[in-house]
């Protein structure tokens, strides 16, 4: 089998016809065998990218984009026909959930369903990709990979108040279709490659996102832990390679030696986190610094007096703190600045973190141990406030990774069994020989080693086959629930083999050719016929392709945590569309018992922000999102789990918060559909499911209303409260009067929360009326008013029944699945 191949290669290389002796031919065949075996041993993923020709298929009319040819070729080889197209309503719901993370509105569904133009699908996809919601959806999935969280983790789990800027950077990058190669470069070495570019500096938050124990006392160990995290994260996210397995010994399966692992780690040993970089540049920064200098000069005497009061406490605390470090750490901290090595500088800078809050702690000690001193300090604080009129507003800080203004990097050693203080040979930066024989081109700058720049440039080189392959596979997995390589973060020997290897290489090579455009990549997938297929179950493929790897039909997927919460909010007409900014803390269950770790946001509008903006606390996740398998921010989260557990159903049915959303949804339906119950059910289905109910469903739901109404009547007769749709029983006149009141007082209408608060106040006032006054209002039980009240009670029972119907529909499988 090798003879024709051997001759072909020889002829191709020489460019002329050559005759080979038997010995020469045997040698050529042996060489080819050796090289082929080496390539197999090295692994398919590490071979150069190919640009495969499109397969020849029989059903050419089914092909909408080149993606379809690769899928169809395998289906035809198995004698399987693809599924017909999904109906338009199903398609727009699917595509909107996949690109935006929320369901479409009934109006959007109707517009697409009635669009008879030949470009209807193209117009829809382009509209979806152009929305800011796209970046919020796809940015969140990138954050899964980056270990993003608004807190440190470990025991203290302190807040990181500045990391939201990185989250906003990611969302903006997806919305602007930042080329993926630039996206990689900024996140790994934005400070080096693009000095002075604040956005690129914020991008290095990718590296800063590691979990951390701020109060660690062995900073030598901490230095190794952080470098290890960065190495393993980069290996997993960009190379889909389990490089971390080589930290203690040569990789057992992939061709990565322990030495190579530490050579890769040496790219990061000089990287040091900084959380106090001023978030201002140019003229804004100059103006701030001038005003700050003026304020500091005016208040210097006050600050000096305060310092004198707390300095003895701080000095003692500093001495005690220093004794808490291990000897090797103390050695680096106590060295004079002129004698510090690059390693000492890293340790010293890290040590400054443990000093955070020392002034606050000293004042607290003063309060408990020296009341006279504390009284003096408080008087000085009052004096200080008199200068608030000249104190500039702080522009905030950036959390980033830099190299502390030095080009010199600490040494990197191979560690015996991965033990941090058991040094073997020293190593220098180098790439994995598994992928290349290329040497790093490291060019130090005045303020940085240049090592991360060399790594970022190599990763984004068109000769590196992995980053493009890995990313397009992740995108494919998001759309189809399974990657072309199912083990999306492991392309090594222990990972799964690609189901469509030629398609993977086509997508990756085309991705690079199209300028690393993420939106162009996704547009090709979204407009393909394989994505357009129906998800209806098929009996004919249960034997030939039981797990649907060949994609003869579209895979059904359960919505993820953010899709469920955000879609419920959108359906209820509550979703706040504000883009970016600090993370928010919505209300949590009363028995959550998080204390100061979860202080609910003061602005009620923040309660209904998109889930990507909800505060991510490592040790105390937001309950509703955690219940539905949100990403674990402790490590690279490659693929969302999809579990089915009792707490999920209980969280939706029994949650006061979700019930309030159902009340808002029911109120919306009543406003939009009027008093006709058939129209109300139609509208509910349009909002939640993007379709109308059939006759059987409608009859079942009307019967449900009757049975629930009987239950609600009995509850009312027993003096019990029942839930009703938002706005039920409130006259339009009253709401208009509230609006008039707000326009008079504030020059605007009342928002939803203000109206609810006002109506609750009126209800409390009514209940606070003396019983005699209430009885006077209802003196004549046979009066027209009494009859009206009785009718209202009947209406209230029916309204409560409708709310129960709405709540059940919003918690159904049809809502929480994407078809």
């Amino acid at each position: 089998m090798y003879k024709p191949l051997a001759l072909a290669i020889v002829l191709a290389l020489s460019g002329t016809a050559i005759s080979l002796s038997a010995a020469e031919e045997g040698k050529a065949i042996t060489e080819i065998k050796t090289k082929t075996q080496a390539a197999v041993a090295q692994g398919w993923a590490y071979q150069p990218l190919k640009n495969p020709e499109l397969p020849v298929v029989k059903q050419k009319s089914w092909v909408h984009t080149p993606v379809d040819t690769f899928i169809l070729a395998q289906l035809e080889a198995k004698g399987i026909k693809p599924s017909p197209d999904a109906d338009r309503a199903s398609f727009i719901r699917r595509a909107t959930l996949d690109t935006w993370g929320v369901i479409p509105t009934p109006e959007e569904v109707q517009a697409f369903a009635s669009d008879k133009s030949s470009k209807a699908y193209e117009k829809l996809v382009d509209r979806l990709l152009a929305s800011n919601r796209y970046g919020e959806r796809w940015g969140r999935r990138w954050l899964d990979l980056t270990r993003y969280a608004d807190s440190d983790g470990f025991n203290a789990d302190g807040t990181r108040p500045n990391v939201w800027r990185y989250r906003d950077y990611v969302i903006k990058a997806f919305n602007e279709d930042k080329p993926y190669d630039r996206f990689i470069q900024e996140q790994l070495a934005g400070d080096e490659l693009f000095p002075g570019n604040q956005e690129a500096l914020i991008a290095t938050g990718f590296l800063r996102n590691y979990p951390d124990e701020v109060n660690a006392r062995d900073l030598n160990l901490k230095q190794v832990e952080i470098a290890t995290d960065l190495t393993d994260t980069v290996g997993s996210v960009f190379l889909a390679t389990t490089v971390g397995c080589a930290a203690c010994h040569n990789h057992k399966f992939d061709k990565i030696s322990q030495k190579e692992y530490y050579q890769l780690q040496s790219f990061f040993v000089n990287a040091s986190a900084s959380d106090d970089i001023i978030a201002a540049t140019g003229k804004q920064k100059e103006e701030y610094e001038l005003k700050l200098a003026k304020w500091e000069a005016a208040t210097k005497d006050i600050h000096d007096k305060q310092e004198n009061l707390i300095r003895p406490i701080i000095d003692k605390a500093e001495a005690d703190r220093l004794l808490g470090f291990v000897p090797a750490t103390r050695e680096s901290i106590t060295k004079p600045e002129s004698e510090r090595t690059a390693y000492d500088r890293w340790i010293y800078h890290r040590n400054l973190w443990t000093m955070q809050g020392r002034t606050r702690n000293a004042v607290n000690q003063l309060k408990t141990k020296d009341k006279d001193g504390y009284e003096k300090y408080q008087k000085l604080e009052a004096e200080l406030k008199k200068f608030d009129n000249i104190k500039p507003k702080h522009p905030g800080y950036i959390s980033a990774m830099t190299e502390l203004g030095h080009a010199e990097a600490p040494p990197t050693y191979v560690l015996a069994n991965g033990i941090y203080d058991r040094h073997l040979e020293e190593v220098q930066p180098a790439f994995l020989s598994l992928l290349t024989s290329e040497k790093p081109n490291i060019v130090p700058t005045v303020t940085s080693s240049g090592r991360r720049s060399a790594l970022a440039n190599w990763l984004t080189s068109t000769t590196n086959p992995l980053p493009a392959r890995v990313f397009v596979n992740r995108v494919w997995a998001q759309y189809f629930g399974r990657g072309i390589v199912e083990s999306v973060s492991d392309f090594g020997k222990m990972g799964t083999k690609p189901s469509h290897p030629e398609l993977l290489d086509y997508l990756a090579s085309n991705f690079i050719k199209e300028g690393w455009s993420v939106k162009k990549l996704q547009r090709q997938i979204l407009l393909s016929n394989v994505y357009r297929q129906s998800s209806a179950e098929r009996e004919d493929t249960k034997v030939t392709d039981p797990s649907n790897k060949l994609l003869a039909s579209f895979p059904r997927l359960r919505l993820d945590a953010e899709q469920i919460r955000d879609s419920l909010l959108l359906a209820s007409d509550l979703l706040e569309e504000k883009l970016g900014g600090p993370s928010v803390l919505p209300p949590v269950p009363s028995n959550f018992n998080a204390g100061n770790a979860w202080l609910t946001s003061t602005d009620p509008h923040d309660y209904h922000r998109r889930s990507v903006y909800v505060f991510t606390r490592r040790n105390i996740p937001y309950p509703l999102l955690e219940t539905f398998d949100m990403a674990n921010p402790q490590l690279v989260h490659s693929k969302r789990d999809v579990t089915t557990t009792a707490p999920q159903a209980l969280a939706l049915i029994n949650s006061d918060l979700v019930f309030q959303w159902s009340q808002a949804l029911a109120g919306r339906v009543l406003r939009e559909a009027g008093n006709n119950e058939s129209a109300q059910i139609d509208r509910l289905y349009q909002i939640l499911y993007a379709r109308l109910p059939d006759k059987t469903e409608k009859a079942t739901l009307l019967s449900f209303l009757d049975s629930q109404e009987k239950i609600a009547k009995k509850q009312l007769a027993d003096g019990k409260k029942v839930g009703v749709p938002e706005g039920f029983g409130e006259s339009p006149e009253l709401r208009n009067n509230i609006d008039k009141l707000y326009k008079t007082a504030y020059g605007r209408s009342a928002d939803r929360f203000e109206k609810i608060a006002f109506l609750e106040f009126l209800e409390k006032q009514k209940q606070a009326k003396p019983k005699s006054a209430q009885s006077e209002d209802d003196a004549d039980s046979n009066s027209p008013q009494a009859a009206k009240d009785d009718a209202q009670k009947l209406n209230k029972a029916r309204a409560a029944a409708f709310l129960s119907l709405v709540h059940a529909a919003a918690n159904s499988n049809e809502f929480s699945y994407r078809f």
Side-chain angles (χ1 to χ4, degrees):
M1 65 179 287
Y2 288 97
K3 184 174 181 179
L5 182 60
L7 292 172
I9 291 174
V10 171
L11 291 173
L13 291 174
S14 67
T16 57
I18 301 175
S19 59
L20 297 176
S21 66
E24 289 172 331
E25 187 175 316
K27 184 178 178 182
I29 291 172
T30 301
E31 286 179 0
I32 291 169
K33 282 183 177 179
T34 302
K35 290 178 180 177
T36 302
Q37 290 168 352
V40 171
Q42 188 180 14
W44 65 268
Y46 309 112
Q47 304 305 311
L49 269 178
K50 299 173 184 176
N51 189 10
E53 292 184 4
L54 301 185
V56 177
V57 293
K58 298 174 184 176
Q59 195 178 337
K60 293 182 174 62
S61 62
W62 191 78
V63 175
H64 285 172
T65 74
V67 167
D68 294 325
T69 62
F70 294 96
I71 299 297
L72 186 58
Q74 287 206 22
L75 290 175
E76 289 182 342
K78 294 284 187 179
I80 303 172
K81 290 185 177 181
S83 293
D85 288 357
D87 63 85
R88 286 205 173 186
S90 296
F91 181 85
I92 186 175
R93 189 176 191 271
R94 172 192 302 171
T96 307
L97 280 164
D98 279 347
T99 52
W100 287 3
V102 292
I103 56 175
T105 65
E107 292 71 30
E108 289 167 339
V109 174
Q110 180 59 37
F112 176 61
S114 60
D115 186 349
K116 304 303 181 184
S117 71
S118 60
K119 296 291 184 181
Y121 284 87
E122 285 83 352
K123 287 190 289 183
L124 169 65
V125 168
D126 289 341
R127 178 175 66 82
L128 293 174
L129 295 177
S131 169
N132 283 334
R133 287 179 174 176
Y134 164 79
E136 291 174 323
R137 167 63 179 166
W138 281 86
R140 176 58 261 184
R141 301 322 293 262
W142 182 260
L143 296 176
D144 288 7
L145 299 171
T146 73
R147 315 91 83 220
Y148 174 85
D150 296 286
S151 71
D152 294 320
F154 287 89
N155 293 324
D157 200 24
T159 297
R160 293 181 178 176
N162 313 314
V163 295
W164 61 267
R165 298 181 194 277
Y166 171 74
R167 177 248 290 148
D168 284 1
Y169 158 82
V170 170
I171 292 171
K172 184 171 180 279
F174 276 96
N175 277 333
E176 294 180 348
D177 198 19
K178 185 185 289 285
Y180 184 65
D181 58 343
R182 171 78 181 222
F183 190 53
I184 293 175
Q185 291 169 355
E186 289 180 348
Q187 290 179 94
L188 295 185
D191 57 316
E192 289 185 342
L193 288 168
F194 313 105
N197 184 324
Q198 188 180 83
E199 186 172 88
L201 180 63
I202 292 171
T204 62
F206 172 86
L207 301 174
R208 173 66 187 97
N209 281 336
Y210 56 84
D212 195 12
E213 179 59 87
V214 174
N215 293 322
R217 290 297 183 247
D218 189 342
L219 300 188
N220 310 85
L221 171 60
K222 180 55 63 179
Q223 196 266 352
V224 173
E225 286 177 343
I226 292 174
T228 298
D229 173 277
L230 302 184
T231 307
D232 297 354
T233 295
V234 168
S236 180
V237 172
F238 300 113
L239 300 174
T241 301
T242 55
V243 295
C245 294
C248 304
H249 49 71
N250 293 343
H251 202 295
K252 297 297 185 183
F253 304 102
D254 298 324
K255 191 181 175 184
I256 304 171
S257 69
Q258 189 186 18
K259 179 179 180 180
E260 285 182 303
Y261 175 82
Y262 287 101
Q263 287 175 323
L264 186 61
Q265 189 178 105
S266 65
F267 285 103
F268 302 106
V269 292
N270 203 35
S272 189
S274 294
D275 291 335
D276 57 355
I277 302 170
I278 295 291
T281 57
K283 188 176 180 181
Q284 181 190 9
K285 186 178 180 182
E286 290 177 12
E287 290 177 354
Y288 168 75
E289 289 175 343
L290 284 171
K291 291 178 181 178
L292 180 64
K294 182 180 177 181
W295 176 78
E296 287 177 340
T299 58
K300 183 179 184 305
D301 183 56
I302 299 173
H303 280 118
D304 286 345
K305 289 176 181 177
Q306 286 183 320
E307 176 74 6
N308 290 336
L309 285 169
I310 62 175
R311 174 47 56 186
I313 300 173
I314 291 176
D315 287 344
K316 184 179 185 307
E318 287 294 293
D320 293 342
R321 181 186 59 84
L322 191 60
L323 290 174
F325 286 117
V326 299
T329 296
R330 286 202 301 271
E331 181 182 344
S332 292
I333 293 173
T334 55
K335 276 185 182 179
E337 184 176 0
S338 59
E339 297 178 15
R340 290 180 201 147
T341 64
Y343 181 78
D344 294 328
R345 282 195 295 270
W346 193 100
I347 298 295
Y348 182 83
H349 176 76
R350 172 63 197 217
N351 149 68
L352 297 178
W353 288 23
T354 63
M355 297 162 63
Q356 294 174 3
R358 58 181 181 171
T359 298
R360 181 182 64 252
N361 294 335
V363 171
N364 287 336
Q365 285 196 43
L366 199 68
K367 183 177 181 179
T368 56
K369 297 180 180 179
D370 183 358
K371 291 185 178 180
D372 290 339
Y374 181 69
E375 187 177 341
K376 292 177 182 177
Y377 193 90
Q378 290 296 95
K379 287 180 179 178
L380 290 168
E381 281 287 291
E383 288 293 314
L384 201 58
K385 287 186 179 297
K386 295 178 181 178
F387 294 87
D388 282 355
N389 61 321
I390 64 168
K391 184 178 181 180
K393 182 181 178 181
H394 199 286
Y397 292 114
I398 292 170
S399 289
M401 292 291 272
T402 69
E403 302 202 358
L404 306 180
H406 294 273
E408 180 191 3
T412 305
Y413 300 95
V414 177
L415 303 180
N417 298 318
I419 300 172
Y420 80 101
D421 58 354
R422 293 184 61 184
H423 295 174
L424 299 177
E425 64 175 307
E426 184 177 349
V427 294
Q428 298 300 320
F431 305 134
L432 299 178
S433 61
L434 184 71
L435 282 163
T436 184
S437 58
E438 182 184 340
K439 304 299 180 186
N441 180 27
I442 298 173
V443 181
T445 69
V446 175
T447 60
S448 204
S449 69
R451 292 185 177 190
R452 285 177 290 118
S453 295
L455 178 64
N457 286 332
W458 170 68
L459 283 173
T460 54
S461 166
T462 55
T463 61
N464 190 333
L466 274 180
R469 266 193 189 123
V470 171
F471 183 73
V472 300
N473 186 62
R474 293 191 193 280
V475 170
W476 188 270
Q478 291 303 320
Y479 280 116
F480 294 99
R482 174 194 285 125
I484 297 170
V485 181
E486 196 164 354
S487 53
V488 291
S489 287
D490 185 2
F491 278 23
K493 282 187 179 179
M494 299 306 290
T496 55
K497 298 297 183 287
S499 59
H500 298 77
E502 293 82 9
L503 172 59
L504 182 62
D505 267 21
Y506 164 78
L507 288 172
S509 58
N510 193 62
F511 181 46
I512 295 172
K513 185 173 71 175
E514 292 284 358
W516 301 81
S517 169
V518 178
K519 286 190 177 182
K520 287 181 180 178
L521 166 67
Q522 296 192 28
R523 189 177 190 275
Q524 186 170 192
I525 293 171
L526 287 162
L527 291 175
S528 68
N529 220 339
V530 65
Y531 184 79
R532 196 181 294 189
Q533 291 180 105
S534 166
S535 64
E537 189 176 2
R538 291 177 53 170
E539 291 293 328
D540 62 323
T541 61
K542 286 186 176 179
V543 175
T544 51
D545 187 23
S547 60
N548 197 29
K549 284 188 176 181
L550 299 181
L551 293 174
S553 59
F554 191 79
R556 302 183 179 196
L557 292 176
R558 215 270 309 279
L559 304 187
D560 62 33
E562 292 87 352
Q563 286 175 317
I564 289 174
R565 178 180 177 272
D566 295 352
S567 292
L568 282 171
L569 288 172
L570 185 138
S572 304
D573 207 20
L574 297 174
L575 188 66
E576 294 282 344
E577 297 284 5
K578 181 181 176 183
L579 192 70
S583 296
V584 299
L585 293 98
V588 291
S590 56
N591 62 351
F592 193 49
N593 298 323
N596 290 335
W598 195 276
L599 299 175
T600 302
S601 298
T602 55
D603 185 350
H605 293 276
D606 288 342
Y607 301 170
H608 301 145
R609 295 284 304 281
R610 287 203 64 165
S611 298
V612 69
Y613 302 118
V614 171
F615 194 95
T616 304
R617 187 171 288 285
R618 282 193 162 96
N619 291 359
I620 309 175
Y622 182 58
L624 185 60
L625 296 180
E626 183 186 29
T627 301
F628 284 95
D629 309 309
M630 67 179 283
N632 181 352
Q634 304 289 7
L635 69 169
V636 173
H637 198 108
S638 302
K639 185 178 181 180
R640 292 290 182 95
D641 298 323
V642 181
T643 63
T644 303
T645 64
Q648 292 169 350
L650 295 172
L652 293 177
I653 291 292
N654 294 337
S655 166
D656 290 338
L657 189 62
V658 177
F659 187 70
Q660 289 169 17
W661 299 344
S662 292
Q663 287 180 298
L665 171 57
R668 173 190 175 184
V669 171
L670 294 178
R671 289 194 308 273
E672 296 177 1
N675 295 326
N676 184 287
E677 288 185 341
S678 178
Q680 291 168 5
I681 293 172
D682 284 350
R683 188 59 177 173
L684 179 64
Y685 264 60
Q686 288 173 328
I687 292 170
L688 293 179
Y689 310 143
R691 68 177 180 88
L692 292 172
D694 59 33
K695 290 181 180 179
T696 302
E697 288 172 324
K698 186 169 286 188
T700 301
L701 293 178
L702 289 171
S703 175
F704 175 84
L705 278 176
D706 292 338
S707 62
Q708 285 297 115
E709 183 181 13
K710 292 176 183 177
I711 295 172
K713 282 180 180 178
K714 186 176 186 310
Q715 290 173 328
L716 287 168
D718 293 340
K720 295 180 180 178
K721 288 185 177 181
V722 295
V724 293
E726 185 176 291
F728 173 78
E730 297 158 7
S731 68
E733 293 80 8
L734 177 57
R735 286 185 170 266
N736 287 336
N737 287 336
I738 295 172
D739 272 341
K740 288 178 182 177
L741 177 63
Y742 269 78
K743 284 179 180 177
T744 302
Y746 307 113
R748 61 173 177 82
S749 298
D751 66 27
R752 172 182 177 271
F753 301 102
E754 290 165 337
K755 286 179 180 176
I756 290 173
F758 200 96
L759 291 167
E760 286 176 349
F761 169 78
L762 292 178
E763 182 65 25
K764 287 179 181 178
Q765 290 297 105
K766 181 179 178 182
Q767 291 173 359
K769 261 188 179 182
K771 288 188 176 179
S772 58
Q774 292 183 33
S775 61
E776 287 175 10
D777 292 340
D778 305 323
D780 185 358
S781 61
N782 296 317
S783 67
Q785 180 61 44
K788 186 178 179 181
D789 289 345
D790 288 341
Q792 177 67 14
K793 285 181 181 179
L794 292 175
N795 289 338
K796 191 171 186 179
R798 193 68 174 181
F802 182 69
L803 173 57
S804 296
L805 185 154
V806 169
H807 193 49
N811 294 324
S812 69
N813 274 348
E814 184 168 357
F815 176 76
S816 58
Y817 272 79
R818 185 213 67 180
F819 299 94

